[in-house]
Coordinates of all heavy atoms in Angstrom, one line a residue:
M1 N 95.6 99.9 114.3 CA 95.9 100.4 113.0 C 95.8 99.3 111.9 O 96.3 98.2 112.0 CB 97.4 100.9 113.0 CG 98.0 101.4 111.7 SD 99.6 102.0 111.9 CE 99.7 103.1 110.6
R2 N 95.2 99.6 110.8 CA 95.0 98.7 109.7 C 96.1 98.8 108.7 O 96.5 99.9 108.2 CB 93.7 99.0 109.0 CG 93.4 98.0 108.0 CD 92.0 98.3 107.4 NE 92.1 97.8 106.0 CZ 91.1 97.8 105.2 NH1 89.9 98.2 105.5 NH2 91.2 97.3 104.0
H3 N 96.7 97.7 108.4 CA 97.9 97.7 107.4 C 97.4 97.2 106.1 O 96.5 96.3 106.0 CB 99.0 96.9 107.9 CG 99.6 97.4 109.2 ND1 100.4 98.6 109.2 CD2 99.6 97.0 110.4 CE1 100.8 98.8 110.4 NE2 100.3 97.9 111.2
E4 N 97.9 97.7 105.0 CA 97.6 97.4 103.7 C 98.8 96.7 103.0 O 99.9 97.0 103.3 CB 97.2 98.6 102.9 CG 96.1 99.4 103.4 CD 94.7 98.7 103.2 OE1 94.6 98.0 102.1 OE2 93.9 98.9 104.1
P5 N 98.5 95.7 102.2 CA 99.6 95.0 101.5 C 100.2 96.0 100.4 O 99.4 96.7 99.7 CB 98.9 93.8 100.8 CG 97.5 93.8 101.2 CD 97.2 95.1 101.9
E6 N 101.5 95.9 100.2 CA 102.1 96.6 99.2 C 102.5 95.7 98.0 O 102.5 96.0 96.9 CB 103.4 97.4 99.7 CG 103.1 98.6 100.5 CD 104.3 99.4 100.7 OE1 105.5 99.0 100.4 OE2 104.1 100.5 101.2
R7 N 102.8 94.5 98.4 CA 103.0 93.4 97.4 C 102.6 92.0 97.8 O 102.8 91.7 99.1 CB 104.6 93.4 97.1 CG 105.0 92.4 96.1 CD 106.4 92.5 95.9 NE 106.8 91.5 94.9 CZ 107.7 91.6 93.9 NH1 108.3 92.8 93.8 NH2 107.9 90.7 93.0
I8 N 101.9 91.3 97.0 CA 101.4 90.0 97.3 C 102.0 89.0 96.3 O 101.8 89.2 95.1 CB 99.9 89.9 97.3 CG1 99.3 90.9 98.3 CG2 99.4 88.5 97.7 CD1 97.8 91.2 98.1
T9 N 102.7 88.0 96.8 CA 103.3 86.9 95.9 C 102.6 85.7 96.3 O 102.7 85.2 97.4 CB 104.8 86.9 96.0 OG1 105.4 88.2 95.9 CG2 105.4 85.9 95.1
I10 N 101.8 85.1 95.3 CA 101.1 83.8 95.5 C 101.8 82.7 94.8 O 102.0 82.9 93.5 CB 99.7 83.9 95.1 CG1 99.0 85.0 96.0 CG2 99.0 82.6 95.3 CD1 97.5 85.3 95.5
E11 N 102.1 81.6 95.5 CA 102.7 80.4 94.8 C 101.8 79.3 95.2 O 101.0 79.4 96.0 CB 104.1 80.2 95.3 CG 105.1 81.4 94.9 CD 106.4 81.3 95.4 OE1 106.8 80.3 96.1 OE2 107.3 82.1 94.9
R12 N 102.1 78.1 94.6 CA 101.2 77.0 94.9 C 101.2 76.5 96.4 O 100.3 76.1 96.9 CB 101.7 75.8 94.0 CG 101.2 76.0 92.6 CD 101.6 74.8 91.7 NE 101.0 73.6 92.0 CZ 99.8 73.2 91.7 NH1 99.0 73.9 91.1 NH2 99.3 72.0 92.1
E13 N 102.4 76.7 97.0 CA 102.5 76.2 98.4 C 102.2 77.3 99.4 O 102.2 77.0 100.7 CB 103.9 75.7 98.6 CG 104.3 74.4 97.9 CD 104.7 74.7 96.4 OE1 105.1 75.8 96.2 OE2 104.6 73.8 95.6
G14 N 102.0 78.5 99.1 CA 101.7 79.6 100.1 C 101.9 80.9 99.5 O 101.9 81.1 98.2
L15 N 101.9 81.9 100.3 CA 102.0 83.3 99.8 C 102.9 84.1 100.8 O 103.1 83.7 101.9 CB 100.7 83.9 99.7 CG 100.0 84.3 101.0 CD1 99.3 85.7 100.8 CD2 98.9 83.3 101.3
V16 N 103.4 85.2 100.2 CA 104.1 86.2 101.0 C 103.5 87.5 100.7 O 103.2 87.9 99.6 CB 105.6 86.2 100.6 CG1 106.4 87.3 101.3 CG2 106.3 84.9 100.8
I17 N 103.2 88.3 101.8 CA 102.7 89.6 101.7 C 103.7 90.5 102.4 O 104.1 90.4 103.5 CB 101.3 89.7 102.4 CG1 100.3 88.7 101.9 CG2 100.8 91.1 102.4 CD1 99.0 88.7 102.7
E18 N 104.1 91.6 101.6 CA 104.8 92.7 102.1 C 103.9 93.9 102.4 O 103.2 94.3 101.5 CB 105.9 93.1 101.1 CG 106.9 92.0 100.8 CD 107.8 92.3 99.7 OE1 108.1 93.4 99.4 OE2 108.3 91.3 99.0
W19 N 103.9 94.3 103.7 CA 102.9 95.2 104.2 C 103.5 96.6 104.2 O 104.7 96.7 104.1 CB 102.5 94.8 105.6 CG 101.9 93.5 105.7 CD1 102.5 92.4 106.1 CD2 100.5 93.2 105.5 NE1 101.6 91.3 106.0 CE2 100.4 91.8 105.7 CE3 99.4 94.0 105.2 CZ2 99.1 91.2 105.6 CZ3 98.2 93.3 105.0 CH2 98.1 91.9 105.3
D20 N 102.6 97.6 104.2 CA 103.1 99.0 104.2 C 103.9 99.5 105.3 O 104.5 100.6 105.2 CB 101.8 99.9 104.0 CG 100.8 99.8 105.1 OD1 101.0 99.0 106.1 OD2 99.8 100.4 105.0
D21 N 104.0 98.7 106.3 CA 104.9 99.1 107.5 C 106.3 98.3 107.4 O 107.0 98.3 108.4 CB 104.2 98.8 108.8 CG 103.9 97.4 109.1 OD1 104.1 96.5 108.1 OD2 103.6 97.0 110.2
G22 N 106.5 97.7 106.3 CA 107.8 97.0 106.1 C 107.8 95.5 106.6 O 108.8 94.8 106.4
V23 N 106.8 95.1 107.2 CA 106.7 93.7 107.7 C 106.4 92.7 106.5 O 105.6 93.0 105.7 CB 105.6 93.5 108.8 CG1 105.4 92.0 109.2 CG2 106.0 94.3 110.1
S24 N 107.0 91.6 106.5 CA 106.8 90.6 105.5 C 106.2 89.3 106.2 O 106.7 88.9 107.1 CB 108.1 90.2 104.8 OG 107.9 89.2 103.8
T25 N 105.0 88.9 105.6 CA 104.3 87.8 106.2 C 104.2 86.7 105.2 O 103.9 86.8 104.0 CB 102.8 88.3 106.4 OG1 102.8 89.3 107.4 CG2 102.0 87.1 107.0
A26 N 104.7 85.5 105.7 CA 104.6 84.3 104.9 C 103.6 83.3 105.5 O 103.7 83.1 106.7 CB 106.0 83.6 104.8
I27 N 102.7 82.8 104.7 CA 101.7 81.9 105.2 C 101.6 80.7 104.2 O 101.5 80.8 102.9 CB 100.4 82.5 105.1 CG1 100.4 83.9 105.9 CG2 99.2 81.6 105.8 CD1 99.2 84.8 105.6
S28 N 101.7 79.5 104.8 CA 101.7 78.3 103.9 C 100.2 78.0 103.5 O 99.2 78.4 104.1 CB 102.1 77.1 104.8 OG 101.2 76.7 105.7
G29 N 100.1 77.3 102.4 CA 98.8 77.0 101.8 C 98.0 76.1 102.9 O 96.8 76.2 103.0
R30 N 98.7 75.2 103.5 CA 98.1 74.4 104.6 C 97.6 75.2 105.7 O 96.4 74.9 106.1 CB 99.2 73.5 105.1 CG 98.7 72.4 106.1 CD 99.9 71.4 106.4 NE 99.4 70.3 107.2 CZ 98.7 69.3 106.7 NH1 98.3 69.3 105.4 NH2 98.4 68.2 107.4
R31 N 98.2 76.2 106.1 CA 97.7 77.1 107.2 C 96.5 78.0 106.7 O 95.4 78.1 107.4 CB 98.8 78.0 107.7 CG 98.3 78.8 108.9 CD 99.5 79.5 109.6 NE 98.9 80.3 110.6 CZ 99.3 80.4 111.8 NH1 100.4 79.8 112.2 NH2 98.8 81.3 112.6
L32 N 96.6 78.4 105.4 CA 95.4 79.1 104.9 C 94.2 78.2 104.8 O 93.1 78.6 105.2 CB 95.7 79.6 103.5 CG 96.6 80.8 103.3 CD1 97.0 81.0 101.9 CD2 95.9 82.1 103.9
R33 N 94.4 77.0 104.3 CA 93.3 76.1 104.1 C 92.6 75.8 105.5 O 91.4 75.6 105.7 CB 93.7 74.8 103.4 CG 92.6 73.8 103.1 CD 91.7 74.4 102.1 NE 90.8 73.5 101.5 CZ 89.6 73.1 102.0 NH1 89.1 73.7 103.0 NH2 88.9 72.2 101.3
A34 N 93.5 75.6 106.5 CA 93.0 75.2 107.9 C 92.3 76.3 108.5 O 91.4 76.2 109.3 CB 94.2 74.8 108.7
A35 N 92.5 77.6 108.1 CA 91.9 78.7 108.7 C 90.8 79.4 107.8 O 90.3 80.5 107.9 CB 93.0 79.8 108.9
C36 N 90.3 78.6 106.8 CA 89.3 79.1 105.9 C 88.2 79.7 106.6 O 87.5 79.0 107.5 CB 88.9 78.0 104.9 SG 87.6 78.5 103.7
P37 N 87.8 80.9 106.2 CA 86.7 81.6 107.0 C 85.3 81.4 106.4 O 84.3 82.0 106.9 CB 87.1 83.1 106.9 CG 87.9 83.1 105.6 CD 88.5 81.9 105.4
C38 N 85.2 80.5 105.5 CA 83.8 80.3 104.9 C 82.9 79.6 106.0 O 83.4 79.0 107.0 CB 83.9 79.4 103.6 SG 84.0 77.7 103.8
A39 N 81.6 79.7 105.8 CA 80.7 79.1 106.8 C 80.8 77.7 107.0 O 80.8 77.2 108.1 CB 79.3 79.5 106.3
E40 N 81.0 76.9 105.9 CA 81.1 75.4 106.0 C 82.4 75.1 106.8 O 82.3 74.2 107.7 CB 81.3 74.8 104.6 CG 81.4 73.3 104.7 CD 81.5 72.7 103.2 OE1 81.5 73.4 102.2 OE2 81.7 71.5 103.2
C41 N 83.5 75.7 106.5 CA 84.7 75.4 107.3 C 84.6 75.8 108.7 O 85.1 75.1 109.7 CB 86.0 76.0 106.6 SG 86.4 75.2 105.1
R42 N 84.0 77.0 109.0 CA 83.8 77.4 110.4 C 82.9 76.4 111.1 O 83.2 76.1 112.3 CB 83.1 78.8 110.5 CG 84.1 80.0 110.1 CD 83.6 81.3 110.5 NE 82.1 81.4 110.2 CZ 81.6 82.2 109.2 NH1 82.4 82.8 108.3 NH2 80.3 82.2 109.0
E43 N 81.9 75.9 110.5 CA 81.0 74.9 111.2 C 81.8 73.6 111.5 O 81.6 73.1 112.6 CB 79.8 74.5 110.3 CG 78.8 75.7 110.1 CD 77.7 75.3 109.2 OE1 77.6 74.1 108.7 OE2 76.8 76.2 108.9
H44 N 82.7 73.2 110.6 CA 83.5 72.0 110.9 C 84.4 72.2 112.1 O 84.5 71.4 112.9 CB 84.4 71.7 109.7 CG 83.6 70.9 108.6 ND1 83.1 69.7 108.7 CD2 83.3 71.3 107.4 CE1 82.4 69.4 107.6 NE2 82.5 70.4 106.7
R45 N 85.0 73.4 112.2 CA 85.9 73.7 113.3 C 85.1 73.8 114.6 O 85.5 73.3 115.6 CB 86.7 75.0 113.0 CG 87.8 74.8 112.0 CD 88.8 76.0 112.0 NE 88.1 77.3 111.7 CZ 87.9 77.7 110.3 NH1 88.4 76.9 109.4 NH2 87.4 78.9 110.1
A46 N 83.9 74.5 114.5 CA 83.1 74.6 115.7 C 82.6 73.2 116.3 O 82.5 73.0 117.5 CB 81.9 75.5 115.5
A47 N 82.4 72.3 115.4 CA 82.1 70.9 115.8 C 83.2 70.0 116.0 O 83.0 68.9 116.3 CB 81.1 70.3 114.6
S48 N 84.4 70.6 116.0 CA 85.6 69.9 116.2 C 85.7 68.7 115.2 O 86.3 67.7 115.6 CB 85.7 69.4 117.6 OG 85.8 70.5 118.5
V49 N 85.2 68.9 114.0 CA 85.3 67.9 113.0 C 86.7 68.2 112.3 O 86.9 69.2 111.9 CB 84.2 67.9 112.0 CG1 84.4 67.0 110.8 CG2 82.8 67.7 112.6
S50 N 87.5 67.2 112.2 CA 88.8 67.3 111.6 C 88.8 66.5 110.3 O 89.1 65.3 110.3 CB 89.9 66.8 112.6 OG 91.2 67.0 112.0
P51 N 88.5 67.2 109.2 CA 88.5 66.4 108.0 C 89.9 66.0 107.6 O 90.9 66.6 107.9 CB 87.9 67.5 107.0 CG 88.1 68.8 107.5 CD 88.2 68.6 109.1
I52 N 89.9 64.9 106.8 CA 91.1 64.3 106.4 C 91.6 65.3 105.2 O 90.9 65.8 104.4 CB 90.9 62.9 105.7 CG1 90.5 62.0 106.8 CG2 92.2 62.5 105.0 CD1 90.1 60.7 106.3
Q53 N 92.9 65.8 105.3 CA 93.4 66.7 104.4 C 94.1 65.8 103.2 O 95.0 65.1 103.5 CB 94.4 67.6 104.9 CG 93.6 68.8 105.7 CD 94.4 70.0 105.6 OE1 95.6 70.1 105.1 NE2 93.8 71.1 106.1
L54 N 93.7 66.0 102.0 CA 94.4 65.4 100.9 C 95.5 66.2 100.5 O 95.6 67.5 100.9 CB 93.4 65.3 99.8 CG 92.1 64.6 100.0 CD1 91.1 64.7 98.9 CD2 92.3 63.2 100.3
A55 N 96.5 65.7 99.8 CA 97.7 66.4 99.5 C 97.5 67.7 98.7 O 98.1 68.7 98.9 CB 98.6 65.5 98.6
D56 N 96.5 67.7 97.8 CA 96.3 68.8 97.0 C 95.4 69.9 97.6 O 95.2 71.0 97.1 CB 95.7 68.5 95.5 CG 94.4 67.8 95.6 OD1 94.0 67.5 96.7 OD2 93.8 67.7 94.5
Q57 N 94.8 69.6 98.8 CA 93.9 70.5 99.4 C 94.6 71.8 99.7 O 93.9 72.9 99.8 CB 93.3 69.9 100.7 CG 92.0 69.3 100.5 CD 91.5 68.8 101.8 OE1 92.1 68.0 102.6 NE2 90.3 69.3 102.3
S58 N 95.8 71.8 100.1 CA 96.5 73.0 100.5 C 97.3 73.7 99.4 O 97.9 74.8 99.7 CB 97.4 72.7 101.7 OG 98.4 71.7 101.4
L59 N 97.2 73.2 98.2 CA 97.9 73.8 97.1 C 97.0 75.0 96.6 O 95.8 74.8 96.4 CB 98.1 72.9 96.0 CG 99.1 71.7 96.2 CD1 99.3 70.9 95.0 CD2 100.5 72.3 96.6
I60 N 97.6 76.1 96.4 CA 96.8 77.3 95.9 C 96.9 77.3 94.4 O 98.0 77.3 93.8 CB 97.4 78.6 96.5 CG1 97.4 78.6 98.0 CG2 96.7 79.8 95.9 CD1 98.1 79.7 98.6
V61 N 95.7 77.2 93.8 CA 95.7 77.2 92.3 C 95.3 78.5 91.7 O 95.4 78.8 90.6 CB 94.8 76.0 91.7 CG1 95.4 74.7 92.1 CG2 93.3 76.2 92.2
D62 N 94.7 79.3 92.6 CA 94.3 80.7 92.2 C 94.2 81.6 93.4 O 93.8 81.2 94.5 CB 92.9 80.7 91.4 CG 92.5 82.0 90.7 OD1 93.5 82.6 90.2 OD2 91.4 82.3 90.8
G63 N 94.4 82.9 93.2 CA 94.3 83.9 94.2 C 93.8 85.2 93.6 O 94.3 85.6 92.5
R64 N 92.8 85.7 94.2 CA 92.2 87.1 93.6 C 91.9 88.1 94.7 O 91.6 87.7 95.8 CB 90.9 86.7 92.9 CG 91.1 85.7 91.8 CD 89.9 85.7 90.8 NE 90.2 84.7 89.8 CZ 90.7 85.0 88.6 NH1 91.1 86.2 88.3 NH2 90.8 84.0 87.8
L65 N 92.1 89.3 94.4 CA 91.8 90.4 95.3 C 90.2 90.5 95.4 O 89.5 90.3 94.4 CB 92.3 91.7 94.7 CG 93.8 91.9 94.7 CD1 94.2 93.2 94.0 CD2 94.4 91.9 96.2
V66 N 89.7 90.8 96.6 CA 88.3 91.0 96.8 C 88.2 92.4 97.3 O 88.6 92.8 98.4 CB 87.7 90.0 97.8 CG1 86.2 90.3 98.1 CG2 87.9 88.6 97.4
G67 N 87.6 93.3 96.4 CA 87.6 94.7 96.8 C 88.9 95.2 97.2 O 89.9 94.8 96.7
G68 N 89.0 96.1 98.2 CA 90.3 96.6 98.7 C 90.6 96.1 100.1 O 91.3 96.7 100.8
Y69 N 90.0 94.9 100.4 CA 90.1 94.5 101.8 C 90.5 93.1 102.0 O 90.7 92.6 103.2 CB 88.8 94.8 102.6 CG 87.7 93.8 102.2 CD1 87.4 92.8 103.0 CD2 86.9 94.1 101.0 CE1 86.4 92.0 102.6 CE2 85.9 93.2 100.7 CZ 85.6 92.2 101.5 OH 84.6 91.3 101.1
A70 N 90.6 92.2 101.0 CA 90.7 90.8 101.2 C 91.2 90.0 100.0 O 91.3 90.7 98.9 CB 89.3 90.2 101.6
L71 N 91.5 88.8 100.2 CA 91.9 87.9 99.1 C 91.1 86.6 99.1 O 90.6 86.2 100.2 CB 93.4 87.4 99.3 CG 94.5 88.5 99.1 CD1 95.8 87.9 99.5 CD2 94.5 89.0 97.7
R72 N 90.8 86.1 98.0 CA 90.1 84.8 97.9 C 91.0 83.8 97.2 O 91.6 84.1 96.2 CB 88.8 85.0 97.1 CG 88.1 83.6 96.8 CD 86.8 83.8 96.1 NE 85.8 83.9 97.1 CZ 84.6 84.3 96.8 NH1 84.3 84.9 95.7 NH2 83.7 84.3 97.8
F73 N 91.1 82.6 97.7 CA 91.9 81.6 97.2 C 91.1 80.4 96.7 O 90.1 80.1 97.3 CB 92.9 81.0 98.2 CG 93.8 82.1 98.8 CD1 93.5 82.6 100.0 CD2 94.9 82.6 98.0 CE1 94.3 83.6 100.6 CE2 95.7 83.6 98.6 CZ 95.4 84.1 99.8
T74 N 91.5 79.7 95.6 CA 91.0 78.5 95.2 C 92.1 77.4 95.5 O 93.2 77.7 95.0 CB 90.6 78.5 93.8 OG1 89.5 79.5 93.5 CG2 89.9 77.1 93.3
F75 N 91.7 76.4 96.2 CA 92.7 75.4 96.4 C 92.6 74.2 95.5 O 91.6 74.1 94.8 CB 92.5 74.9 97.9 CG 92.8 76.0 98.9 CD1 91.7 76.8 99.4 CD2 94.0 76.3 99.4 CE1 92.0 77.8 100.3 CE2 94.3 77.3 100.3 CZ 93.3 78.1 100.7
G76 N 93.6 73.3 95.6 CA 93.7 72.2 94.7 C 92.5 71.3 94.7 O 92.3 70.5 93.7
D77 N 91.7 71.3 95.7 CA 90.5 70.4 95.7 C 89.2 71.1 95.2 O 88.2 70.6 95.3 CB 90.3 69.9 97.2 CG 89.9 71.0 98.2 OD1 90.1 72.1 97.8 OD2 89.5 70.7 99.3
G78 N 89.5 72.4 94.7 CA 88.3 73.1 94.2 C 87.7 74.1 95.2 O 86.8 74.9 94.8
H79 N 88.0 73.9 96.4 CA 87.4 74.8 97.5 C 87.8 76.2 97.3 O 89.0 76.5 97.1 CB 87.8 74.3 98.8 CG 87.1 75.1 100.0 ND1 85.8 74.9 100.2 CD2 87.5 76.0 100.8 CE1 85.4 75.7 101.3 NE2 86.5 76.4 101.6
G80 N 86.9 77.1 97.2 CA 87.3 78.6 97.0 C 86.2 79.6 97.6 O 86.0 80.6 97.0
D81 N 85.6 79.2 98.6 CA 84.5 80.0 99.2 C 85.0 81.0 100.2 O 84.3 81.9 100.5 CB 83.5 79.1 99.9 CG 82.7 78.3 98.9 OD1 82.6 78.7 97.7 OD2 82.2 77.2 99.3
G82 N 86.1 80.8 100.8 CA 86.6 81.7 101.9 C 87.1 83.0 101.3 O 87.9 83.1 100.5
I83 N 86.8 84.1 102.1 CA 87.3 85.4 101.7 C 88.2 85.8 103.1 O 87.6 85.8 104.1 CB 86.2 86.4 101.6 CG1 85.4 86.1 100.3 CG2 86.7 87.9 101.5 CD1 84.2 86.9 100.0
Y84 N 89.4 86.0 102.8 CA 90.4 86.3 103.8 C 90.7 87.8 103.9 O 91.5 88.3 103.1 CB 91.7 85.5 103.5 CG 91.6 84.0 103.5 CD1 91.0 83.3 102.4 CD2 92.1 83.3 104.6 CE1 90.9 82.0 102.4 CE2 92.0 81.8 104.6 CZ 91.4 81.2 103.4 OH 91.3 79.8 103.4
P85 N 90.1 88.5 104.9 CA 90.4 89.9 105.1 C 91.9 90.1 105.4 O 92.6 89.2 106.0 CB 89.6 90.4 106.3 CG 88.5 89.3 106.4 CD 89.1 88.0 105.9
Y86 N 92.4 91.3 105.0 CA 93.8 91.5 105.2 C 94.2 91.3 106.7 O 95.3 90.8 107.0 CB 94.2 93.0 104.8 CG 94.1 93.2 103.3 CD1 93.8 94.5 102.8 CD2 94.3 92.2 102.4 CE1 93.7 94.6 101.5 CE2 94.2 92.4 101.0 CZ 93.9 93.7 100.6 OH 93.9 93.8 99.2
G87 N 93.3 91.8 107.7 CA 93.7 91.6 109.1 C 93.9 90.1 109.4 O 94.8 89.8 110.2
Q88 N 93.1 89.2 108.9 CA 93.2 87.8 109.2 C 94.5 87.3 108.6 O 95.3 86.5 109.3 CB 92.1 87.0 108.6 CG 92.2 85.5 108.9 CD 91.1 84.7 108.2 OE1 90.5 85.1 107.3 NE2 91.0 83.4 108.6
L89 N 94.9 87.7 107.4 CA 96.1 87.3 106.7 C 97.3 87.8 107.6 O 98.3 87.0 107.7 CB 96.2 87.8 105.3 CG 95.2 87.2 104.4 CD1 95.2 87.9 103.1 CD2 95.4 85.7 104.2
R90 N 97.3 89.0 108.0 CA 98.3 89.5 108.8 C 98.5 88.7 110.1 O 99.6 88.3 110.5 CB 98.1 91.0 109.2 CG 99.1 91.6 110.1 CD 100.3 92.1 109.3 NE 101.3 92.8 110.2 CZ 101.8 93.9 110.0 NH1 101.6 94.6 108.9 NH2 102.7 94.4 110.9
H91 N 97.4 88.3 110.7 CA 97.4 87.5 111.9 C 98.0 86.1 111.7 O 98.7 85.6 112.5 CB 96.0 87.5 112.5 CG 96.0 86.6 113.7 ND1 96.5 87.0 115.0 CD2 95.4 85.3 114.0 CE1 96.2 86.0 115.8 NE2 95.6 85.0 115.3
L92 N 97.5 85.5 110.6 CA 98.0 84.2 110.3 C 99.5 84.1 110.0 O 100.1 83.0 110.2 CB 97.3 83.6 109.0 CG 95.8 83.2 109.1 CD1 95.2 82.9 107.8 CD2 95.7 82.1 110.1
G93 N 100.1 85.1 109.6 CA 101.5 85.2 109.4 C 102.3 85.4 110.7 O 103.6 85.2 110.6
D94 N 101.7 85.7 111.8 CA 102.4 85.9 113.1 C 102.9 84.6 113.5 O 102.3 83.6 113.4 CB 101.5 86.5 114.1 CG 101.2 88.0 113.8 OD1 101.9 88.6 113.0 OD2 100.2 88.5 114.4
P95 N 104.1 84.6 114.1 CA 104.7 83.4 114.7 C 103.9 82.8 115.8 O 103.2 83.4 116.4 CB 106.1 83.7 115.0 CG 106.2 85.2 115.0 CD 105.0 85.7 114.3

């Protein structure tokens, strides 16, 4: 079953999504940045390259809806290529 967000609250350190089934998901900016689904970040993870994280890398400076299925974030270091589908965001919020 695919769940849709009813409310999305984005702050510099992370976000909270309230889903249509009553579940609330909190995800830190650090976790979002580490799970970035863009091609470059996937390649780094596949090669087990662990880039040094700067303090502002995990700060969210912008968040935008993509169609009716995802969010895109821009982080403090300017990185903003990843598109995070709702399913991935729901999974990232699981304990």
Side-chain angles (χ1 to χ4, degrees):
M1 176 180 208
R2 183 178 152 176
H3 295 289
E4 299 290 328
E6 287 194 350
R7 182 182 180 136
I8 301 168
T9 305
I10 300 173
E11 297 179 353
R12 289 184 56 84
E13 292 82 22
L15 74 139
V16 175
I17 302 174
E18 296 173 27
W19 300 94
D20 58 3
D21 64 350
V23 171
S24 181
T25 299
I27 310 167
S28 70
R30 185 171 189 73
R31 184 163 175 142
L32 283 171
R33 185 67 165 89
C36 179
C38 81
E40 181 181 359
C41 291
R42 284 194 321 255
E43 287 176 10
H44 284 292
R45 284 192 299 274
S48 296
V49 174
S50 186
I52 297 171
Q53 284 212 352
L54 305 174
D56 64 347
Q57 263 185 305
S58 60
L59 294 178
I60 300 170
V61 296
D62 189 40
R64 300 198 184 264
L65 294 172
V66 177
Y69 72 97
L71 294 172
R72 171 181 266 160
F73 303 99
T74 301
F75 295 93
D77 64 350
H79 185 73
D81 294 334
I83 295 174
Y84 296 75
Y86 294 152
Q88 180 186 16
L89 292 170
R90 177 80 180 230
H91 177 73
L92 286 172
D94 289 343

